[in-house]
PDB file of all heavy atoms in Angstrom:
ATOM      1  N   ILE A1010    -132.074  42.589  40.692  1.00 90.00           N
ATOM      2  CA  ILE A1010    -132.186  41.396  41.461  1.00 90.00           C
ATOM      3  C   ILE A1010    -131.450  40.232  40.798  1.00 90.00           C
ATOM      4  O   ILE A1010    -130.702  39.458  41.425  1.00 90.00           O
ATOM      5  CB  ILE A1010    -133.659  40.992  41.694  1.00 90.00           C
ATOM      6  CG1 ILE A1010    -134.350  42.008  42.611  1.00 90.00           C
ATOM      7  CG2 ILE A1010    -133.778  39.588  42.287  1.00 90.00           C
ATOM      8  CD1 ILE A1010    -133.821  42.004  44.025  1.00 90.00           C
ATOM      9  N   LEU A1020    -124.368  29.883  45.112  1.00 96.00           N
ATOM     10  CA  LEU A1020    -125.442  29.252  44.349  1.00 96.00           C
ATOM     11  C   LEU A1020    -124.849  28.642  43.049  1.00 96.00           C
ATOM     12  O   LEU A1020    -124.003  29.259  42.400  1.00 96.00           O
ATOM     13  CB  LEU A1020    -126.514  30.269  43.973  1.00 96.00           C
ATOM     14  CG  LEU A1020    -127.196  31.007  45.106  1.00 96.00           C
ATOM     15  CD1 LEU A1020    -128.227  32.009  44.561  1.00 96.00           C
ATOM     16  CD2 LEU A1020    -127.877  30.030  46.062  1.00 96.00           C
ATOM     17  N   GLU A1022    -124.953  27.370  39.107  1.00 96.00           N
ATOM     18  CA  GLU A1022    -125.515  28.032  37.923  1.00 96.00           C
ATOM     19  C   GLU A1022    -126.937  27.566  37.653  1.00 96.00           C
ATOM     20  O   GLU A1022    -127.793  28.363  37.222  1.00 96.00           O
ATOM     21  CB  GLU A1022    -124.623  27.769  36.708  1.00 96.00           C
ATOM     22  CG  GLU A1022    -123.268  28.459  36.761  1.00 96.00           C
ATOM     23  CD  GLU A1022    -123.399  29.968  36.999  1.00 96.00           C
ATOM     24  OE1 GLU A1022    -124.176  30.602  36.274  1.00 96.00           O
ATOM     25  OE2 GLU A1022    -122.713  30.499  37.885  1.00 96.00           O
ATOM     26  N   GLU A1031    -138.276  31.314  38.408  1.00 90.00           N
ATOM     27  CA  GLU A1031    -139.400  31.244  39.344  1.00 90.00           C
ATOM     28  C   GLU A1031    -139.781  32.627  39.893  1.00 90.00           C
ATOM     29  O   GLU A1031    -140.927  32.851  40.279  1.00 90.00           O
ATOM     30  CB  GLU A1031    -139.062  30.288  40.500  1.00 90.00           C
ATOM     31  CG  GLU A1031    -140.269  29.853  41.287  1.00 90.00           C
ATOM     32  CD  GLU A1031    -140.067  28.533  42.026  1.00 90.00           C
ATOM     33  OE1 GLU A1031    -139.198  27.740  41.630  1.00 90.00           O
ATOM     34  OE2 GLU A1031    -140.801  28.310  43.005  1.00 90.00           O
ATOM     35  N   TYR A1044    -134.600  28.254  47.436  1.00 96.00           N
ATOM     36  CA  TYR A1044    -133.277  28.012  46.868  1.00 96.00           C
ATOM     37  C   TYR A1044    -132.132  28.375  47.823  1.00 96.00           C
ATOM     38  O   TYR A1044    -130.992  28.477  47.373  1.00 96.00           O
ATOM     39  CB  TYR A1044    -133.163  28.785  45.557  1.00 96.00           C
ATOM     40  CG  TYR A1044    -134.074  28.226  44.480  1.00 96.00           C
ATOM     41  CD1 TYR A1044    -135.285  28.840  44.185  1.00 96.00           C
ATOM     42  CD2 TYR A1044    -133.732  27.061  43.796  1.00 96.00           C
ATOM     43  CE1 TYR A1044    -136.136  28.317  43.215  1.00 96.00           C
ATOM     44  CE2 TYR A1044    -134.574  26.547  42.816  1.00 96.00           C
ATOM     45  CZ  TYR A1044    -135.771  27.180  42.533  1.00 96.00           C
ATOM     46  OH  TYR A1044    -136.616  26.633  41.571  1.00 96.00           O
ATOM     47  N   PRO A1066    -145.105  51.855  30.889  1.00 94.00           N
ATOM     48  CA  PRO A1066    -146.437  51.371  30.432  1.00 94.00           C
ATOM     49  C   PRO A1066    -146.597  49.879  30.587  1.00 94.00           C
ATOM     50  O   PRO A1066    -145.654  49.106  30.359  1.00 94.00           O
ATOM     51  CB  PRO A1066    -146.443  51.788  28.949  1.00 94.00           C
ATOM     52  CG  PRO A1066    -145.512  52.936  28.848  1.00 94.00           C
ATOM     53  CD  PRO A1066    -144.429  52.639  29.839  1.00 94.00           C
ATOM     54  N   SER A1096    -147.843  50.153  42.375  1.00 97.00           N
ATOM     55  CA  SER A1096    -147.404  50.828  41.144  1.00 97.00           C
ATOM     56  C   SER A1096    -147.856  50.045  39.916  1.00 97.00           C
ATOM     57  O   SER A1096    -148.222  50.632  38.889  1.00 97.00           O
ATOM     58  CB  SER A1096    -145.907  51.042  41.157  1.00 97.00           C
ATOM     59  OG  SER A1096    -145.174  49.827  41.032  1.00 97.00           O
ATOM     60  N   PRO A1115    -145.164  40.538  52.867  1.00 85.00           N
ATOM     61  CA  PRO A1115    -144.488  39.759  53.919  1.00 85.00           C
ATOM     62  C   PRO A1115    -143.613  40.594  54.825  1.00 85.00           C
ATOM     63  O   PRO A1115    -143.258  40.163  55.925  1.00 85.00           O
ATOM     64  CB  PRO A1115    -143.666  38.746  53.100  1.00 85.00           C
ATOM     65  CG  PRO A1115    -143.435  39.417  51.766  1.00 85.00           C
ATOM     66  CD  PRO A1115    -144.697  40.174  51.515  1.00 85.00           C
ATOM     67  N   ASP A1124    -155.885  33.952  54.936  1.00 98.00           N
ATOM     68  CA  ASP A1124    -156.436  34.856  55.966  1.00 98.00           C
ATOM     69  C   ASP A1124    -157.299  35.927  55.306  1.00 98.00           C
ATOM     70  O   ASP A1124    -158.400  36.256  55.778  1.00 98.00           O
ATOM     71  CB  ASP A1124    -155.327  35.502  56.786  1.00 98.00           C
ATOM     72  CG  ASP A1124    -154.501  34.534  57.581  1.00 98.00           C
ATOM     73  OD1 ASP A1124    -155.062  33.519  58.026  1.00 98.00           O
ATOM     74  OD2 ASP A1124    -153.278  34.788  57.747  1.00 98.00           O
ATOM     75  N   VAL A1140    -168.210  32.293  45.729  1.00 97.00           N
ATOM     76  CA  VAL A1140    -166.956  32.969  45.327  1.00 97.00           C
ATOM     77  C   VAL A1140    -166.181  32.066  44.379  1.00 97.00           C
ATOM     78  O   VAL A1140    -166.169  30.835  44.507  1.00 97.00           O
ATOM     79  CB  VAL A1140    -166.120  33.305  46.565  1.00 97.00           C
ATOM     80  CG1 VAL A1140    -164.802  33.970  46.169  1.00 97.00           C
ATOM     81  CG2 VAL A1140    -166.917  34.209  47.509  1.00 97.00           C
ATOM     82  N   GLU A1160    -164.264  27.454  45.212  1.00 97.00           N
ATOM     83  CA  GLU A1160    -163.925  26.942  43.883  1.00 97.00           C
ATOM     84  C   GLU A1160    -162.831  27.788  43.241  1.00 97.00           C
ATOM     85  O   GLU A1160    -162.736  29.007  43.518  1.00 97.00           O
ATOM     86  CB  GLU A1160    -165.148  26.881  42.979  1.00 97.00           C
ATOM     87  CG  GLU A1160    -166.135  25.809  43.392  1.00 97.00           C
ATOM     88  CD  GLU A1160    -167.208  25.575  42.348  1.00 97.00           C
ATOM     89  OE1 GLU A1160    -167.583  26.521  41.644  1.00 97.00           O
ATOM     90  OE2 GLU A1160    -167.693  24.421  42.241  1.00 97.00           O
TER      91      GLU A1160
END
Side-chain angles (χ1 to χ4, degrees):
I1010 291 294
L1020 302 179
E1022 292 305 312
E1031 197 157 337
Y1044 292 100
S1096 69
D1124 296 328
V1140 178
E1160 289 191 329

